[in-house]
């Protein structure tokens, strides 16, 4: 059974067809990219996969379960985590608390437990704290645990967002333009980090990315969409030499 299988997924916004008959299948352990020009429908795909939108048509099967109609926190609970193109951290909470709060879907205690500080509450909070500290240590972020994200360099903020996604121990990690806004040194660090996460956490990764150096270095398979339609899928070499891709995306001097 595939980890993720999307079948003929389409999305309409009013009279606009943002995505048309999108299909893809993921096996466990893959590291794949979804690319295309701005406005091609890439983030729409991620929003549908993570439960932020309900597709107009089609199926989304994750570990064999149809997730269409589930809320984002329910999809997260099944094992899909994501980051966003524009970093979405709680900037007035510490880095540690950002990681801790990401596990809210799996608390396992009631409001009453929290009010009386029951054994269930104390045990769950200890587990959440342990997980958060382990993730921060694994990503070399422990020194920032009491810092507010808004006071940190952009590259570190991006790393914290990835750490927050990893803290739920997902089977599938969606990275939406992780290199956006990074300088060349930070991009090289990001490539190293993603490669390490893929291996160390034995996790499946699906990324949207405009920087071809990141995509071509990391991904074994690439899918390309344009105006909501799939125009190519294959290895980095096949994509680089595909005339439709060159015309629609790689040949655009502004990208």
């Amino acid at each position: 059974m595939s980890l993720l299988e999307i079948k003929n997924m389409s999305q309409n916004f009013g009279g606009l067809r943002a995505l048309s008959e999108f299909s893809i299948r993921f096996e466990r352990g893959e590291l794949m990219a979804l690319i295309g020009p701005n406005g091609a429908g890439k983030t729409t795909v991620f929003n549908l996969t993570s439960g932020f939108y309900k597709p107009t048509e089609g199926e989304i099967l994750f570990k064999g379960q149809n997730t269409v109609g589930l809320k984002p926190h329910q999809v997260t609970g099944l094992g899909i985590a994501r980051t966003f193109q524009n970093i979405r951290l709680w900037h007035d909470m510490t880095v540690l608390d950002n990681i801790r709060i990401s596990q809210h879907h799996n608390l396992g205690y009631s409001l009453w437990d929290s009010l009386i500080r029951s054994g269930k509450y104390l045990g769950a909070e200890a587990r959440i704290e342990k997980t958060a500290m382990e993730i921060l240590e694994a990503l070399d972020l422990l020194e920032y645990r009491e810092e507010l994200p808004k006071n940190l360099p952009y590259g570190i903020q991006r790393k914290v967002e990835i750490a927050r996604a990893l803290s739920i121990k997902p089977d599938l990690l969606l990275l939406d333009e992780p290199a956006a806004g990074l300088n060349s040194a930070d991009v090289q660090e990001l490539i190293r980090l993603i490669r390490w996460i893929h291996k160390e956490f034995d996790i499946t990764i699906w990324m949207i990315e405009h920087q071809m150096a990141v995509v071509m270095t990391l991904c074994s398979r690439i899918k390309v969409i344009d105006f909501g339609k799939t125009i190519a899928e294959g290895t980095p070499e096949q994509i680089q030499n595909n005339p439709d891709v060159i015309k629609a995306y790689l040949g655009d001097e502004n990208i």
Side-chain angles (χ1 to χ4, degrees):
M1 180 175 61
S2 300
L3 178 65
L4 175 70
E5 185 174 8
I6 297 175
K7 300 179 181 179
N8 300 316
M9 183 170 69
S10 298
Q11 180 67 28
N12 297 336
F13 295 109
L16 174 66
R17 186 81 157 180
L19 191 69
S20 182
E21 298 181 345
F22 181 92
S23 296
I24 198 167
R25 176 181 291 183
F26 271 89
E27 303 304 327
R28 290 182 183 273
E30 286 199 83
L31 203 172
M32 185 174 172
L34 177 65
I35 68 172
N38 288 328
K42 305 181 298 297
T43 296
T44 296
V45 171
F46 271 21
N47 284 338
L48 289 163
T49 304
S50 54
F52 285 88
Y53 298 155
K54 181 179 178 180
T56 305
E57 301 169 8
E59 285 186 296
I60 305 170
L61 301 174
F62 183 66
K63 295 189 286 190
Q65 179 174 342
N66 192 342
T67 66
V68 172
L70 296 183
K71 302 297 184 183
H73 72 276
Q74 293 173 314
V75 174
T76 298
L78 293 176
I80 298 178
R82 71 172 293 184
T83 65
F84 294 85
Q85 179 180 352
N86 298 313
I87 295 174
R88 297 187 183 182
L89 295 171
W90 291 280
H91 286 287
D92 292 316
M93 300 173 65
T94 67
V95 166
L96 177 59
D97 283 341
N98 266 270
I99 306 302
R100 292 175 71 253
I101 201 170
S102 67
Q103 300 172 67
H104 74 280
H105 70 283
N106 193 31
L107 290 175
Y109 60 76
S110 66
L111 176 60
W112 177 249
D113 287 316
S114 65
L115 290 173
I116 66 172
R117 300 181 66 82
S118 69
K120 182 183 288 188
Y121 165 82
L122 293 174
E125 287 297 314
R127 172 177 50 80
I128 289 169
E129 180 90 6
K130 181 175 182 291
T131 297
M133 293 295 284
E134 288 174 347
I135 290 292
L136 290 174
E137 182 176 17
L139 272 65
D140 294 325
L141 291 168
L142 268 181
E143 64 182 291
Y144 305 109
R145 62 185 180 276
E146 298 302 330
E147 297 284 349
L148 300 179
K150 64 183 179 182
N151 297 329
L152 296 175
Y154 192 82
I156 299 297
Q157 291 185 38
R158 181 67 72 182
K159 201 171 179 181
V160 171
E161 188 180 39
I162 293 174
R164 185 176 64 183
L166 288 173
S167 71
I168 72 163
K169 300 179 181 178
D171 296 297
L172 174 63
L173 176 62
L174 309 179
L175 300 175
D176 192 348
E177 296 198 34
L182 301 184
N183 60 39
S184 57
D186 285 338
V187 167
Q188 291 306 309
E189 169 61 17
L190 177 72
I191 290 173
R192 184 204 65 78
L193 177 64
I194 293 174
R195 183 182 285 124
W196 179 83
I197 288 170
H198 183 237
K199 180 180 178 181
E200 187 71 17
F201 287 80
D202 190 24
I203 192 173
T204 305
I205 298 176
W206 191 12
M207 69 167 66
I208 293 171
E209 186 50 66
H210 276 294
Q211 294 211 31
M212 290 300 101
V214 176
V215 172
M216 298 300 175
T217 299
L218 289 172
C219 299
S220 59
R221 191 158 59 107
I222 301 167
K223 192 176 186 74
V224 190
I225 60 176
D226 190 22
F227 294 108
K229 297 181 179 180
T230 298
I231 61 171
E233 183 174 341
T235 65
E237 183 178 4
Q238 290 170 332
I239 295 303
Q240 282 180 312
N241 295 305
N242 185 299
D244 291 331
V245 177
I246 292 170
K247 180 180 178 181
Y249 187 60
L250 297 177
D252 189 336
E253 64 182 7
N254 295 316
I255 294 175

